[in-house]
Coordinates of all heavy atoms in Angstrom, one line a residue:
V353 N 292.0 -63.2 160.1 CA 292.5 -63.3 158.6 C 292.8 -64.7 158.3 O 293.5 -65.4 159.0 CB 293.6 -62.3 158.4 CG1 294.1 -62.5 156.9 CG2 293.3 -60.9 158.7
N354 N 292.3 -65.2 157.2 CA 292.8 -66.5 156.6 C 293.3 -66.3 155.3 O 293.3 -65.1 154.7 CB 291.7 -67.5 156.7 CG 290.4 -67.0 155.9 OD1 290.5 -66.4 154.8 ND2 289.3 -67.3 156.4
F355 N 293.8 -67.3 154.6 CA 294.4 -67.2 153.3 C 293.5 -66.6 152.2 O 293.9 -65.7 151.5 CB 295.0 -68.5 152.9 CG 295.5 -68.6 151.5 CD1 296.8 -68.1 151.2 CD2 294.8 -69.0 150.4 CE1 297.3 -68.0 149.9 CE2 295.3 -69.0 149.1 CZ 296.6 -68.6 148.9
S356 N 292.3 -67.1 152.2 CA 291.3 -66.6 151.2 C 290.9 -65.2 151.3 O 291.0 -64.5 150.4 CB 290.1 -67.5 151.2 OG 290.4 -68.9 151.0
S357 N 290.6 -64.8 152.6 CA 290.2 -63.4 152.8 C 291.4 -62.5 152.5 O 291.2 -61.4 152.0 CB 289.7 -63.2 154.2 OG 290.7 -63.5 155.1
A358 N 292.6 -62.8 152.9 CA 293.8 -62.0 152.7 C 294.0 -61.8 151.2 O 294.4 -60.7 150.7 CB 295.0 -62.5 153.4
R359 N 293.9 -62.9 150.5 CA 294.1 -62.9 149.0 C 293.1 -62.0 148.3 O 293.5 -61.2 147.5 CB 294.1 -64.3 148.4 CG 294.3 -64.4 146.9 CD 294.2 -65.8 146.5 NE 294.3 -65.9 145.0 CZ 295.5 -66.0 144.4 NH1 296.6 -66.0 145.0 NH2 295.5 -66.1 143.1
I360 N 291.8 -62.1 148.7 CA 290.8 -61.3 148.0 C 290.9 -59.9 148.3 O 290.9 -59.0 147.4 CB 289.4 -61.8 148.4 CG1 289.1 -63.3 147.9 CG2 288.3 -60.9 147.9 CD1 287.8 -63.9 148.5
R361 N 291.2 -59.5 149.5 CA 291.3 -58.1 149.9 C 292.6 -57.5 149.3 O 292.7 -56.4 148.9 CB 291.3 -57.9 151.4 CG 291.4 -56.5 151.8 CD 290.1 -55.8 151.4 NE 290.1 -54.4 151.6 CZ 290.3 -53.5 150.7 NH1 290.7 -53.9 149.5 NH2 290.3 -52.2 150.9
N362 N 293.7 -58.3 149.2 CA 294.9 -57.9 148.6 C 294.8 -57.6 147.1 O 295.3 -56.6 146.6 CB 296.0 -58.9 148.8 CG 297.4 -58.4 148.4 OD1 297.8 -57.3 148.8 ND2 298.1 -59.2 147.7
I363 N 294.0 -58.4 146.4 CA 293.8 -58.2 145.0 C 293.0 -56.9 144.8 O 293.3 -56.1 143.9 CB 293.0 -59.4 144.4 CG1 293.9 -60.6 144.4 CG2 292.5 -59.1 143.0 CD1 293.3 -61.9 143.9
E364 N 292.0 -56.7 145.6 CA 291.2 -55.4 145.5 C 292.1 -54.2 145.7 O 292.0 -53.2 145.0 CB 290.0 -55.5 146.4 CG 288.9 -56.5 146.0 CD 287.8 -56.5 147.0 OE1 288.0 -55.9 148.1 OE2 286.8 -57.1 146.7
F365 N 292.8 -54.3 146.8 CA 293.7 -53.1 147.1 C 294.7 -52.9 146.1 O 295.1 -51.8 145.7 CB 294.3 -53.4 148.5 CG 295.2 -52.2 149.0 CD1 294.6 -51.0 149.1 CD2 296.5 -52.4 149.3 CE1 295.4 -49.9 149.6 CE2 297.3 -51.4 149.7 CZ 296.7 -50.2 149.9
R366 N 295.3 -54.0 145.5 CA 296.3 -53.8 144.4 C 295.6 -53.2 143.2 O 296.3 -52.3 142.6 CB 296.8 -55.2 144.0 CG 297.8 -55.2 142.9 CD 298.2 -56.6 142.5 NE 298.7 -57.4 143.6 CZ 299.1 -58.7 143.5 NH1 299.0 -59.3 142.3 NH2 299.4 -59.4 144.6
Y415 N 303.4 -61.8 146.5 CA 302.3 -62.7 146.4 C 301.9 -63.1 147.9 O 302.7 -63.2 148.8 CB 302.6 -64.0 145.6 CG 302.8 -63.8 144.1 CD1 304.1 -63.7 143.6 CD2 301.7 -63.6 143.3 CE1 304.2 -63.5 142.2 CE2 301.8 -63.4 142.0 CZ 303.1 -63.3 141.4 OH 303.2 -63.2 140.1
V416 N 300.6 -63.5 148.0 CA 300.2 -64.0 149.3 C 300.8 -65.4 149.5 O 301.2 -65.8 150.6 CB 298.6 -64.1 149.3 CG1 298.1 -64.7 150.6 CG2 298.0 -62.7 149.2
N417 N 300.8 -66.2 148.5 CA 301.4 -67.5 148.5 C 302.3 -67.7 147.1 O 301.7 -68.1 146.1 CB 300.4 -68.7 148.6 CG 301.1 -70.0 148.8 OD1 302.1 -70.3 148.3 ND2 300.4 -70.8 149.7
P418 N 303.5 -67.3 147.1 CA 304.3 -67.2 145.9 C 304.4 -68.6 145.2 O 304.2 -68.6 144.0 CB 305.7 -66.7 146.4 CG 305.5 -66.1 147.7 CD 304.3 -66.8 148.3
Q420 N 302.3 -71.2 145.2 CA 301.1 -71.6 144.5 C 300.7 -70.7 143.3 O 300.3 -71.1 142.3 CB 299.9 -71.6 145.5 CG 300.0 -72.7 146.6 CD 298.8 -72.7 147.5 OE1 297.9 -71.9 147.3 NE2 298.8 -73.5 148.5
D421 N 301.0 -69.4 143.5 CA 300.6 -68.4 142.4 C 301.5 -68.6 141.2 O 301.0 -68.6 140.1 CB 300.8 -67.0 142.9 CG 299.7 -66.7 144.0 OD1 298.7 -67.3 144.0 OD2 300.0 -65.7 144.8
V422 N 302.8 -68.8 141.4 CA 303.7 -69.0 140.3 C 303.4 -70.3 139.6 O 303.4 -70.4 138.4 CB 305.2 -68.8 140.7 CG1 306.1 -69.2 139.6 CG2 305.5 -67.4 141.2
A424 N 300.7 -72.0 139.5 CA 299.4 -71.9 138.7 C 299.6 -71.2 137.4 O 299.0 -71.6 136.4 CB 298.3 -71.2 139.6
E425 N 300.4 -70.1 137.4 CA 300.7 -69.4 136.2 C 301.4 -70.2 135.2 O 301.1 -70.2 134.0 CB 301.4 -68.1 136.5 CG 300.6 -67.0 137.1 CD 301.4 -65.6 137.1 OE1 302.6 -65.6 136.8 OE2 300.8 -64.7 137.6

Side-chain angles (χ1 to χ4, degrees):
V353 178
N354 55 40
F355 174 78
S356 299
S357 63
R359 179 183 176 86
I360 293 173
R361 187 65 188 96
N362 187 49
I363 291 175
E364 292 179 348
F365 183 58
R366 181 185 304 182
Y415 290 102
V416 177
N417 190 323
Q420 292 184 4
D421 292 337
V422 173
E425 285 188 356

